[in-house]
Amino acid sequence: MRILVCGAGGQVGHEVVDRASGFGLVALGRTRQQLDISCADQIAREIELQRPGLIINTAAYTHVDNAESHAEQAYAVNRDGCANLAAAAAQAGIPLLHLSTDYVFAGDAHVPYRESDRTAPGGVYGASKLAGEQAIAQRLPAHLILRTSWVYGVHGNNFVKTMLRLARQRDALGVVSDQIGCPTQAGRIADVLLELASRYARQGTLAWGLYHYSGQPRCSWYEFAGEIFRQAHDLGLLARVPRLSPISTAQYPTPARRPAWSVLDCSRFEATFGLATRDWHAELAEVLAELARQERRPAAAGHV
């Protein structure tokens, strides 16, 4: 089955395209430059031309801080883009798998969020992503929305790569310790989406709806950074480990408020699909090992 992958230049989209053949699927990867989901005509033309059997949407306006001052752009992609994809999928009679976020919640809970819990996003990014979820649900019965959290991976910009860069530049770092969540590897999210797509290809249906999926167990950004440094040093990615200090959210102000609690309850997803969540420590090791391999590769001939 051919699948149209929107947002193929991002962390998860890149992995979906790379891994699709391993699931017996043909990925038609489209970056933002190749397919702007905020333009309904572009989507309609692409579907008519390619005739995909399913759409995976990982495209999103993800710059949380910039969204506060560029709300129109955030909503154009995160809400209107989803509405366009859902309407086009409905017209073509194909399903849509869509990636969403923990930012749809207020972040003031103390137990893991279930799919049925009240949403109350604290900023433009979360509000626009929630509006996208609603736009899909209103237009397309055959949809599966997967909320996840704290995404990191080999490709694109993310916390892991930022920490490695800063650790090489500084002797000491302060990292927020009062925001709690679950780091989730982009490659694992891609595997989950592709497994669901392959099941649809075989069975012609899925248990449609809204689900949570993230790594386990929960931790703070400070704890996550500490593990990144430990593993990276063991692999030779870091010559030394910087001094790491816990700081509060108040000590690190940002234009957009971050959720203090981003822990998702994934039990509904696990029970429905029989796909277990993974320990993020092991998932992190895979990413760091790949980054280490990339650094060891010799430069291409003709380049210094």
Side-chain angles (χ1 to χ4, degrees):
M1 187 175 74
R2 292 153 62 87
I3 56 172
L4 177 62
V5 183
C6 304
Q11 291 190 80
V12 177
H14 196 293
E15 294 285 1
V16 170
V17 173
D18 280 356
R19 296 168 184 238
S21 62
F23 290 81
L25 301 166
V26 177
L28 310 168
R30 298 294 182 265
T31 65
R32 178 170 52 85
Q33 291 75 22
Q34 295 169 321
L35 178 60
D36 180 358
I37 65 170
S38 67
C39 179
D41 289 344
Q42 284 190 29
I43 296 169
R45 283 197 301 270
E46 194 70 22
I47 291 176
E48 184 177 0
L49 182 66
Q50 302 296 341
R51 302 290 180 184
L54 177 144
I55 301 171
I56 293 180
N57 181 42
T58 65
Y61 186 105
T62 57
H63 201 304
V64 175
D65 288 327
N66 282 359
E68 294 300 306
S69 54
H70 296 81
E72 187 174 340
Q73 291 175 246
Y75 275 98
V77 177
N78 295 344
R79 177 194 61 199
D80 302 341
C82 288
N84 293 338
L85 285 171
Q91 180 70 26
I94 60 176
L96 170 64
L97 308 185
H98 171 69
L99 200 61
S100 194
T101 176
D102 58 283
Y103 273 72
V104 301
F105 295 111
D108 56 359
H110 301 286
V111 295
Y113 283 111
R114 294 178 178 271
E115 292 85 350
S116 56
D117 286 340
R118 185 176 70 89
T119 52
V124 170
Y125 170 68
S128 64
K129 289 291 287 183
L130 179 59
E133 291 183 8
Q134 293 165 343
I136 291 169
Q138 289 165 3
R139 289 166 175 79
L140 181 68
H143 72 269
L144 192 145
I145 296 168
L146 196 67
R147 291 178 183 151
T148 191
S149 65
W150 289 23
V151 180
Y152 69 94
V154 173
H155 308 285
N157 299 316
N158 55 67
F159 183 78
V160 171
K161 294 168 84 170
T162 298
M163 287 298 104
L164 292 176
R165 175 175 54 80
L166 292 177
R168 290 165 172 167
Q169 297 172 349
R170 303 180 188 177
D171 294 324
L173 282 171
V175 177
V176 171
S177 62
D178 57 358
Q179 295 173 20
I180 308 299
C182 295
T184 313
Q185 196 216 87
R188 178 57 181 164
I189 300 169
D191 284 346
V192 164
L193 291 170
L194 288 165
E195 173 60 25
L196 295 174
S198 69
R199 290 185 189 186
Y200 172 76
R202 295 191 306 270
Q203 302 165 4
T205 190
L206 281 174
W208 307 116
L210 173 65
Y211 297 92
H212 289 170
Y213 184 88
S214 67
Q216 299 294 329
R218 64 180 182 250
C219 66
S220 67
W221 290 115
Y222 168 75
E223 292 167 326
F224 191 24
E227 183 65 11
I228 293 166
F229 296 155
R230 185 189 70 77
Q231 291 194 22
H233 183 261
D234 289 347
L235 283 169
L237 276 168
L238 294 178
R240 54 168 178 75
V241 174
R243 294 190 308 278
L244 187 61
S245 302
I247 63 173
S248 68
T249 298
Q251 291 174 279
Y252 187 72
T254 54
R257 183 176 68 81
R258 267 58 174 177
W261 181 262
S262 292
V263 183
L264 301 175
D265 184 327
C266 304
S267 59
R268 180 170 184 256
F269 179 86
E270 291 179 304
T272 302
F273 297 107
L275 296 171
T277 55
R278 298 278 183 88
D279 188 304
W280 64 260
H281 299 80
E283 300 271 276
L284 172 64
E286 292 180 6
V287 168
L288 292 175
E290 177 57 28
L291 292 174
R293 280 192 292 271
Q294 290 181 4
E295 290 197 2
R296 287 195 296 267
R297 287 174 192 155
H303 294 271
V304 178

